[in-house]
Amino acid sequence: YLGWIKGAALAGVATIALTAGSAQAQTVWRINVSMPQDGHHGIAIDTFAEEVERLTEGRYVIETFYAGSLGGERESIEGVQLGTLELTFTSTGPVPNFVPELSILDIPFLFRDYEHARGVLDSEIGDELLGRFESHGIKGLAWADNGFRHMTNDIRPIESPEDLDGLKLRTMESPVHIAAYREFGILPTPMAFPEVFAALQQGVVDGQENPLSVIESNNFDEVQQYLSMTGHVFSPCVFLMNLDLWNGLSDEDQAHFVEAAQAGTAANRARVDEDEATAIETMRADGMEILEDIDRDAFVAALSEVNAQFAEEFGAEEVQAIRDWQ
Ligand code: PAF
């Protein structure tokens, strides 16, 4: 054992160790999520870390951090951009604050279902969108799923858009979500995710919106009586890495990192599928009132004007290409 040597590309960030009996340098980087380890984000980074270590034969070690212990998603993306955090796995909600050209992905009612969303993200359209991080100092390694977002609250069941009027809902720090939800009559309260459970419990907000995987693994059914399956936004996830670190990798290691991220995506999507199949039943059994049969067309119609504005602002042709994808 020769001890830890700080520094390299980013002082204090990349740590290099020389392990006993071998001249091989080991680089230790961190990746984080806002969700608990037992969930669709945790499994993504656990798989990624295992695969990076396996594929690089231990030259790269990825330390995993959960439940926002290194900060919320907005803060983490910023950290990756600045180089104070090496990697993060995040939903795209806060991404437009750093990469405005990706605002398109969080437009409400853009994707029909999981097959559509995954198909687009895995297609040439998805590859081109992933490339948009690079001019902002970030490397996008692979898309994954957060899931279709649904509304929960503790005031009343949401059957029609009118029922949302005046509800104070926690939203992501996403300019697209905030603008859209205002059209529903919601009073949006942007907040980093690590603060949400307490805000719901203390009644600081009436509700929030998130995919089933998030609602269940964070026990929101304990503090929210009603869930409506609005599916108003498909929320993608993405593996992000600091661009300078990425550029410092050999071609071979770059391929390993992408392969590891894709393995993380496969594990993440399998977990999402599992959650989608079981979460409603589990949370209903625990006493949550869940409305599956909502008038989706009325929710879509309520956002038609703001969605037309988004298309104009973010590129009508691109929006149409995503909608038309088969
Ligand atoms: O609501 C959010 O902030 C996000 O959906 C979450 C739960 C952090 C997962 O990406």
Side-chain angles (χ1 to χ4, degrees), residues 50-59 253 256-257 259-260:
E50 269 165 39
E51 284 301 289
V52 166
E53 196 165 340
R54 185 181 69 79
L55 291 165
T56 65
E57 294 170 338
R59 285 178 292 106
D253 284 335
H256 291 328
F257 271 67
E259 191 180 331

Side-chain angles (χ1 to χ4, degrees), residues 34-35 41 73 91 146 149 170 172 193 209-211 214:
S34 284
M35 296 274 300
H41 291 212
E73 291 191 333
S91 73
N146 190 25
R149 305 181 77 88
R170 175 270 174 177
M172 295 194 71
F193 188 73
E209 43 79 60
N210 250 306
V214 175

Side-chain angles (χ1 to χ4, degrees), residues 33-36 40-41 72-73 89-94 145-147 149 170-173 177 191-194 196 208-211 213-215 218 220 235-237:
V33 288
S34 284
M35 296 274 300
H40 65 318
H41 291 212
E73 291 191 333
F89 180 83
T90 176
S91 73
T92 52
D145 289 0
N146 190 25
R149 305 181 77 88
R170 175 270 174 177
T171 70
M172 295 194 71
E173 296 161 287
H177 293 189
M191 192 185 291
F193 188 73
V196 177
Q208 62 86 51
E209 43 79 60
N210 250 306
S213 299
V214 175
I215 298 168
N218 290 281
F220 284 173
S235 175
C237 273

